[in-house]
Amino acid sequence: AGATTPKSGMTDANIVAVLDAANKADSTAGAVAAKKGTRADVKAFAKLMMGDHHALRVQGQELAKQLGVEPKPPERDPLAPYVASAMKALQSAPKGAQFDQTYIDNEVSVHQAVLDFANQARVTTQTPQLRELIEKAAPIIRKHLEQAQAIQKELAPAA
């Protein structure tokens, strides 16, 4: 499985690895935000991220096992820079309004990047089960993006 490398240079093993890392990172970021966040909507969103991304991660891992796909990160993970900068920003942001803003801004950019990747991966994979899993996950990721954008509007100082 995954012996042929598609045009994008991503194999199923790469796609599974990238999506798993993204889910793990978002769940971890949610855990940080649940502790350091101050606004109720930010904390609620963080808890939602922990639960939803843990569930998506479990589904991905179960499918990989079922398909006999060993997750293998690609040489150039398109999401790694987003994840790394988001985690660094969360660690350095002080608790309070600045943390809430940093977390939500990161959630918007990371979810947009993950959604773009998922859409690309959906057409890249030749494996129907993986395509189906991505198609089920995409509306969840889109909903997270929309929720983060809504909170971002609330946090934005009135001009």
Side-chain angles (χ1 to χ4, degrees):
T4 58
T5 303
K7 285 191 293 283
S8 74
M10 287 276 177
T11 64
D12 284 353
N14 296 152
I15 292 168
V16 168
V18 170
L19 293 175
D20 186 62
N23 281 316
K24 180 181 180 192
D26 217 7
S27 192
T28 302
V32 172
K35 287 188 187 84
K36 279 179 87 173
T38 50
R39 287 176 52 117
D41 54 355
V42 171
K43 286 167 123 19
F45 182 77
K47 288 188 173 96
L48 178 71
M49 293 307 96
M50 289 166 60
D52 284 2
H53 285 284
H54 176 74
L56 288 171
R57 190 166 185 221
V58 168
Q59 290 171 11
Q61 289 170 339
E62 285 173 358
L63 181 64
K65 207 177 291 173
Q66 195 182 335
L67 297 173
V69 172
E70 187 64 43
K72 182 182 184 296
E75 278 184 39
R76 282 192 207 59
D77 181 336
L79 300 179
Y82 289 97
V83 169
S85 83
M87 291 312 286
K88 190 176 176 195
L90 289 184
Q91 300 301 338
S92 61
K95 188 174 174 137
Q98 189 181 341
F99 177 86
D100 292 348
Q101 186 75 56
T102 299
Y103 173 64
I104 292 299
D105 289 349
N106 280 326
E107 287 299 294
V108 169
S109 61
V110 169
H111 277 87
Q112 185 60 65
V114 171
L115 194 57
D116 293 345
F117 177 79
N119 288 330
Q120 180 191 0
R122 185 176 51 79
V123 296
T124 299
T125 183
Q126 299 302 303
T127 309
Q129 299 94 318
L130 183 55
R131 186 175 307 115
E132 191 180 307
L133 182 69
I134 294 167
E135 286 169 357
K136 276 199 279 189
I140 297 168
I141 299 163
R142 190 172 300 105
K143 187 173 172 225
H144 291 169
L145 174 62
E146 290 164 2
Q147 288 173 293
Q149 288 169 329
I151 296 170
Q152 193 178 42
K153 280 192 186 94
E154 294 284 319
L155 295 175

